[in-house]
Amino acid sequence: MSNPTFRTRISQLRKRKITKKKIVRRGNPLNQRNNEDDCEVPIVPGSALALLGLVAGGAAAAGEAGPSSALVGTSTHHHPPYHLRRKSPTHPVSPPSTIGAAAATASVTASPTTASPAGVSAATAGLPSAATNSAPLLSPTAAIAAATTYCPSMLPARKRPRRTYFTGDSSTGLGCNPFTAAHYLLYELPDEVLLTIFSYLFERDLCHVAQVCKRFYTIANDNELWKNLYQGLYEYDLPLFNPSSCKFDFVQPEDCDCDNPWKESFKQLYHGVHVREGHQKYATKETGRSVAYFETIQAAFEYCDDAEKPLVLIHSGVYRGQLIVIETNIALIGAAPGNVAENVILERECESTVMFMEGAQQAYLGYVTIKFSPPSCTETMQHHKHYALEIQENCAPTIEHCIIRSISHLGAAVSVSGPGAEPVIRHCEISDCENVGLIITDRAQGHYEDNEISRNALAGIWVKNYANPIMRRNHIHHGKDVGIFCFDGGLGYFEANDIHNNRIAGFEVKAQANPTVVRCEIHNGQTGGIYVHEHGMGQFIENKIHSNKYAGVWITSNSNPTIRRNEIYNGLQGGVYIFGDGRGLIEHNNIYGNALAGIQIRTNSDPIVRHNKIHDGQHGGIYVHEKGQGLIECNEVYANTLAGVWITTGSTPTLRRNRIHSGKQVGVYFYDNGHGVLEDNDIFNHLYSGVQIRTGSNPIIRRNKIWGGQNGGVLVYNGGLGVLEQNEIFDNAMAGVWIKTDSNPILRRNKIYDGREAGICIFNGGKGLLEENDIFRNAQAGVLISTQSHPTQSHPSLRRNQIYDGLAAGIEITNNATATLEYNQIFNNRFGGLCLASGVNPIQRGNKIFNNHDAVEKAVSSGQCLYKISSYTSFPMHDFYRCRTCNTTERNAICVNCIKTCHSGHVVEFIRHDRFFCDCGAGTLNNQCQLQGEPTQDTDTLYDSAAPIESQSLMAEV
């Protein structure tokens, strides 16, 4: 094979001869330019110039030249891009007359036999031939002295005269100027031509060329030159940089700080060896570079044994069956165009495809596909290893930008195991595996960042046996099992991961595992978001948990996690579901928009729930049932569709210092033997009652503020019980406390005031013990007791209460109800202290009734219609009648003054003494009331008297 350097040399000689012939034939000088400021032509010994082919033979140098054979060239300059970057302007050419005798005497003549290697002709000095012929000949010593007297290069750059070059004529025997070829090459040859020439050079020769002069340096550092070289060797579409140990990153050229990013990357990677199929063809052609090629990865490993920073570049191809065991700090990188990892594939059918072992503390693997593909006939065999990538104890490699696959039904795609196993795995894709994606076990650690883990047949990640990894910004999704599974004491720190669309939970914790999960997004799970069970633990902090098919968080089986400052929302069922003896600390979370309860506690579970916002649920806020327990404190529960808190079926939670408000039904609802303690809560503005107690429920309700209920403050009914102590119950639209239908609560030391109807209403067999309460400023009676049509008589006990400042009576008892009244103080009420309907005989002992206004008696004595002193909600108790003449019904009543005036001469009958308003004065009868002004609309309310029972009839004409 011929030597390319020799062929290049022959080509250069041929071009020089052709150029010389053209100049002689045409008689025209070379185009000349002066670039002294950019690149000075070095003073080269004649012998060296002769070696470069830039000096003619001695005979030609010694021959004489006439005026016709040595012409000064005209200045027709070429201006390449390099010329435009000059640091100073060009200098005009000095005319021959200004050069002077000193320059003329600098010419040295030599005979053919004694020619000096440094012989300088008149053409070299830039003078015409006539001046050469007229000058006297000097000895060499004199010539040197004259030449050193003045030289243009001694002047500053801006004051140097332009040099003038011209060639000799072969017909006259004058030799060629030794600087002419160098001048043309350095100054006149266009940049584009030099770029084309340099494009045939490899990197080592290109670096040598760049050392010639500043112009060559600039052109030889052209980005396109190095890009072509770079892509020819490394195949990458972008420059790859190695800024630090175990880090290789592609960078867009425009984003790079280097003037030539391709050259810089070339330099950083040049020490590497290459694994390339058919490497012989590259090795034989590339004589201008020093690159080692190998056919196999193992051969490259052996070559790098003694290297200080071993680097192996694996080129495009599928490398099957090669054993890759790494025990040193070697770096392996895929090298291919396009998506590098997709084009460089490492594959094995048994054992592990790539294995890192002890000693690989700073090893690197990047930009490759790693596949484990056992044959289908052996998939069920009990292999010892079933991993695409295996990292064993006491090693810390870095794996980046890899695609990792395993089609084995056993094992996993990636295994990290053993103490001291601390890899860095980032920007990898671990997906479509037939088993687990990534297993970290046996106290292994490591950093796992920005990976894509998806569509695996089992869990995306297993963390077990006290492994403690750090995982950040991974995308874990569409798994056919759980997203991340921590068990058997697994630990770990999981931050900012996106976990979604897994078939089971996004994150599962069991069996003493205790991970820390921070700022992750766990959503759209086909089952739940987080599932903690079988003594699982963990800290889940500042996560977004939403849009899961079942509960956002499940806690069960004696598990005790911490759920803190998360957003848990838009679940297709509940927010947090604690059952089966679950525990846990649930605090500072924002739980909203879930289809079922925001928090559900059941079956002996006993969590701590505090400082949460639980709101805008499509169901209730907190639901405690089936013997659920728990401490629920300092939460804000509001704007839920059903009850703010439900407590039922033997449950006994403690609710303390919560704000429960603005619900679309009840605030706190105890039913079906719901129990527990409700204390120091603020319960207000519900569409129904603030608190409801029914069907055997027996809570302790103390020191709460219960106000603004649209259907009353507290409703106890259907056999409800409970102890209400030291509560403030005020500003409710209906009764402050209702006790109905065989209920029997205890109300002690409460303040019940400013109700827009009665303070306490006891209806339909209601009972209860009311003692030491302050009942005041209510729009109806302070205490209203009635039986209506219920078979059981209402019979509460009132002891040591203060009932005062009411807008109606202090105590009213009607409809055959009764009561035990002991040591109460009843004063300053508008309609009187104690008002008893016909047939009512309560037990009274030691009551003080004083300073009441008796507005009813005053109205009767003044002849007023009693409707005038009634309001929409307060009705005075007095005698009422019915008019047979006016055909009044059982629902109508007429006061005594209207009977005397408006129904004078009619057939009337006395019904009974009870609470009512006058229908005559209200304008609901056919005749107009004569004691009242304009008729008003009937305003029957829930508190109207029941249908009267005829006790006697009085037929009279009054």
Side-chain angles (χ1 to χ4, degrees), residues 586-651:
I586 319 296
E587 64 179 3
H588 297 287
N589 301 286
N590 190 12
I591 304 172
Y592 61 94
N594 297 287
L596 297 182
I599 296 178
Q600 186 176 168
I601 304 169
R602 58 174 287 203
T603 51
N604 298 307
S605 296
D606 190 15
I608 297 173
V609 179
R610 62 190 180 199
H611 301 293
N612 302 285
K613 288 185 176 180
I614 305 166
H615 60 100
D616 293 291
Q618 302 172 39
H619 198 266
I622 300 174
Y623 183 26
V624 189
H625 62 119
E626 297 181 32
K627 299 183 180 180
Q629 301 173 53
L631 172 61
I632 302 169
E633 61 181 4
C634 303
N635 302 284
E636 186 160 7
V637 184
Y638 63 97
N640 295 287
T641 301
L642 301 182
V645 180
W646 289 20
I647 301 169
T648 182
T649 52
S651 299

Side-chain angles (χ1 to χ4, degrees), residues 94-131:
S94 302
S97 60
T98 63
I99 296 185
T105 58
S107 60
V108 179
T109 58
S111 65
T113 58
T114 61
S116 171
V120 180
S121 67
T124 304
L127 299 176
S129 57

Side-chain angles (χ1 to χ4, degrees), residues 206 220-239 253 260-264 266 289:
L206 198 58
N221 279 283
D222 180 75
N223 273 274
E224 286 299 318
L225 277 179
W226 284 96
K227 178 180 177 181
N228 293 334
L229 274 176
Y230 183 87
Q231 293 182 338
L233 179 59
Y234 299 110
E235 301 188 76
Y236 298 132
D237 295 337
L238 295 172
N260 192 334
W262 303 97
K263 181 179 179 181
E264 180 62 27
F266 207 115
R289 64 174 33 143

